[in-house]
Amino acid sequence: MANYSSLLSLRFGFLVLFSTCLALSSAHQLYPTKCSFDKLTALEPTKRVESEGGFTDYWDSNNHQFHCVGVSALRYSIKPKGLLLPHYVNAPRLQYVLQGTGILETVIPGCPETFREQGPHGDQHQKIHAAREGDVIVVPTGSAQWIYNNGETDMVIFSVIDSANENNQLDLKFRKFFLGGKPQEEEDGEGGNMFSGLGLKTVAESLDIDRGIAGKVQGLDDGRGSIIIVEDELETLSPAVEEERGKGNGLDETVCTLRLVHQLAESVDADKYNPRAGYLTALNTPNLPVLQYVQLGVDLGVLYKNAVMAPHYNLNCHAVIYGTKGRGWIEVVGENGRRVFEGEVKEGQILIVPQNFVVAKKEAGGSDEEFGWVAVKTSDNPMISPLAGKLSLLRAMPLPVLRHLFRLTAEEANKLKKRGELTLFSPGPAHHTQI
């Protein structure tokens, strides 16, 4: 009997171990088994999809740089009176408004319709947000979003999708699910919305409508694309007044009430500022609690003429750097001291910097230009570690260690600790005052 119990326990233990290994194996299928970052490149969009009301530029998600860090990127250009059709995707998104103004709604499943528009029908819906240049827009996984350009110029939005996020249980492919129209964004020209894939009778019965209306919902003969022109404008819709919130801990708030739009470009609370070099502003969970749900963060940086940002690495995330203005000279170094990128990154280009790779930036315009960028990071509380400046690793090491490490004299080793600027360095001779 004892032998039987031991055998049963052994078999049970094996089954538990096998199931655990199988589960781990399945989870790991989301990530590439081997990635090489021997050479990085500044990336341009590879595909443009035209629509009636604008176009969408896509970066190649199959490019090994995107694939290995598990993100995708696109850029919308929406004409005045253009409406980006409601859709959801299989992963969280972080968007940055590069140009223009508009209104949008992010429909979060399970949240109530707490806003009522005036009019004969008293339509109820979730909160409508105003958005303008410099805004960051957060879209949780599976939340449907539409965007309408109510301005007089094109509205341009850069978007990063974190398909390796733990909220996505599919593969690393970025998938869009439209709720209306007939978007034709696939290579074969085929497209449709979620209702067009259902039977006509099913749509009619589910929405309690006649088949004529159901056919319009399916949109099988709609050729306007994923961005349409609204002839009569959306004049009845108005954004709700955004309540001012302090820095919360997220414990007394739910995703239904959290702010989803945050103005970053005009922030007066730059995390790092040097009047001779530029500024860097970070957006993370403490100042935008909803980021905890999407596990993403963002930095906005500007370097003045010939200024330098200290070589540094990201401790806990990858960085997707998008040039917003001017030109920057960037160097990236991987493991074993291998330089994997050295060159310019211009406005409209993306450079991906993997976790722990060292990156250094310098304004490279050669005139009175500035180099600006926005960096989406795969952590809601991203952290960097500089290799130079007052907060650097070298500054924290004892002088005898530095002497022997670099074969320096005591005087030479002491010079490594003299730079008093924090992260953004002035051009020209070193300034030793703390800024």
Side-chain angles (χ1 to χ4, degrees):
M1 184 69 177
N3 289 338
Y4 175 76
S5 299
S6 299
L7 181 60
L8 185 62
S9 298
L10 181 62
R11 287 179 175 175
F12 178 76
F14 175 78
L15 287 174
V16 171
L17 179 62
F18 177 78
S19 299
T20 302
C21 292
L22 184 61
L24 290 172
S25 175
S26 298
H28 290 168
Q29 289 178 7
L30 287 176
Y31 302 94
T33 57
K34 184 178 180 181
C35 281
S36 173
F37 292 107
D38 292 338
K39 183 178 181 181
L40 301 178
T41 55
L43 301 168
E44 303 270 2
T46 56
K47 175 184 174 183
R48 173 168 292 185
V49 177
E50 300 279 355
S51 298
E52 176 190 61
F55 57 84
T56 307
D57 289 327
Y58 289 91
W59 278 261
D60 182 9
S61 297
N62 293 320
N63 179 286
H64 77 278
Q65 296 172 77
F66 282 106
H67 189 65
C68 285
V69 300
V71 300
S72 300
L74 57 86
R75 185 175 59 213
Y76 296 115
S77 183
I78 306 172
K79 297 177 183 178
K81 296 187 179 182
L83 173 66
L84 174 63
L85 298 181
H87 65 282
Y88 60 93
V89 305
N90 58 319
R93 289 171 279 170
L94 212 59
Q95 301 169 324
Y96 184 76
V97 182
L98 298 165
Q99 174 187 303
T101 61
I103 60 175
L104 61 95
E105 182 185 22
T106 300
V107 183
I108 302 176
C111 293
E113 297 81 24
T114 54
F115 292 86
R116 180 185 294 271
E117 295 291 341
Q118 300 297 321
H121 302 293
D123 181 37
Q124 285 186 273
H125 51 75
Q126 291 186 19
K127 189 172 186 176
I128 295 175
H129 302 267
R132 60 190 174 93
E133 182 177 333
D135 275 346
V136 172
I137 304 167
V138 181
V139 189
T141 306
S143 298
Q145 182 194 59
W146 55 262
I147 301 174
Y148 175 68
N149 182 351
N150 62 355
E152 297 180 353
T153 60
D154 288 358
M155 187 178 187
V156 184
I157 301 171
F158 173 63
S159 179
V160 172
I161 303 93
D162 183 20
S163 53
N165 190 283
E166 65 180 18
N167 289 326
N168 174 34
Q169 297 190 19
L170 298 175
D171 54 26
L172 292 178
K173 183 180 179 181
F174 158 51
R175 291 176 168 85
K176 276 186 178 182
F177 301 84
F178 282 90
L179 298 177
K182 189 182 179 183
Q184 297 183 358
E185 304 203 353
E186 298 298 326
E187 296 293 342
D188 57 9
E190 294 296 324
N193 67 61
M194 295 300 97
F195 292 104
S196 62
L198 298 173
L200 182 64
K201 181 179 179 182
T202 300
V203 174
E205 291 178 346
S206 299
L207 297 177
D208 191 21
I209 54 178
D210 62 50
R211 294 197 175 194
I213 299 176
K216 293 182 178 180
V217 170
Q218 289 187 315
L220 298 178
D221 59 352
D222 191 338
R224 297 174 295 173
S226 60
I227 306 173
I228 66 174
I229 292 294
V230 179
E231 298 295 343
D232 299 328
E233 299 189 354
L234 300 181
E235 71 282 346
T236 62
L237 298 181
S238 59
V241 177
E242 186 72 77
E243 296 180 5
E244 292 294 331
R245 294 182 181 271
K247 293 183 178 180
N249 58 15
L251 297 178
D252 57 344
E253 299 172 306
T254 68
V255 70
C256 296
T257 58
L258 292 178
R259 286 186 296 119
L260 301 178
V261 179
H262 182 93
Q263 172 57 221
L264 188 61
E266 297 178 3
S267 174
V268 296
D269 300 320
D271 296 88
K272 297 175 178 65
Y273 172 67
N274 184 332
R276 296 185 295 270
Y279 58 87
L280 184 69
T281 305
L283 192 57
N284 48 33
T285 294
N287 46 34
L288 190 62
V290 72
L291 293 173
Q292 177 184 356
Y293 289 87
V294 299
Q295 299 155 40
L296 293 170
V298 61
D299 289 346
L300 179 71
V302 170
L303 286 176
Y304 301 152
K305 181 181 178 181
N306 294 326
V308 176
M309 183 172 179
H312 64 277
Y313 62 92
N314 294 288
L315 279 71
N316 59 344
C317 59
H318 308 301
V320 182
I321 300 172
Y322 178 89
T324 58
K325 60 180 175 179
R327 297 182 297 162
W329 182 266
I330 298 182
E331 297 177 31
V332 181
V333 178
E335 66 265 34
N336 299 318
R338 290 195 300 268
R339 186 182 302 165
V340 296
F341 181 81
E342 180 182 22
E344 284 190 348
V345 174
K346 304 175 184 177
E347 179 179 346
Q349 291 182 323
I350 284 177
L351 179 67
I352 292 177
V353 179
Q355 180 183 7
N356 292 321
F357 281 44
V358 169
V359 55
K361 304 184 184 78
K362 180 179 179 179
E363 191 280 325
S367 63
D368 292 330
E369 290 188 71
E370 300 174 346
F371 173 54
W373 73 90
V374 60
V376 177
K377 299 190 172 182
T378 57
S379 169
D380 59 321
N381 282 300
M383 296 180 290
I384 70 169
S385 178
L387 301 186
K390 189 173 179 62
L391 299 178
S392 69
L393 294 179
L394 297 185
R395 184 79 176 240
M397 293 181 183
L399 283 174
V401 173
L402 297 180
R403 284 182 55 199
H404 291 283
L405 175 62
F406 298 118
R407 296 189 293 184
L408 302 174
T409 65
E411 183 180 357
E412 290 172 333
N414 192 53
K415 290 182 178 179
L416 297 181
K417 292 194 171 192
K418 287 295 185 180
R419 183 133 214 169
E421 294 170 305
L422 296 178
T423 307
L424 305 175
F425 301 156
S426 310
H431 294 268
H432 300 321
T433 56
Q434 179 179 350
I435 294 179

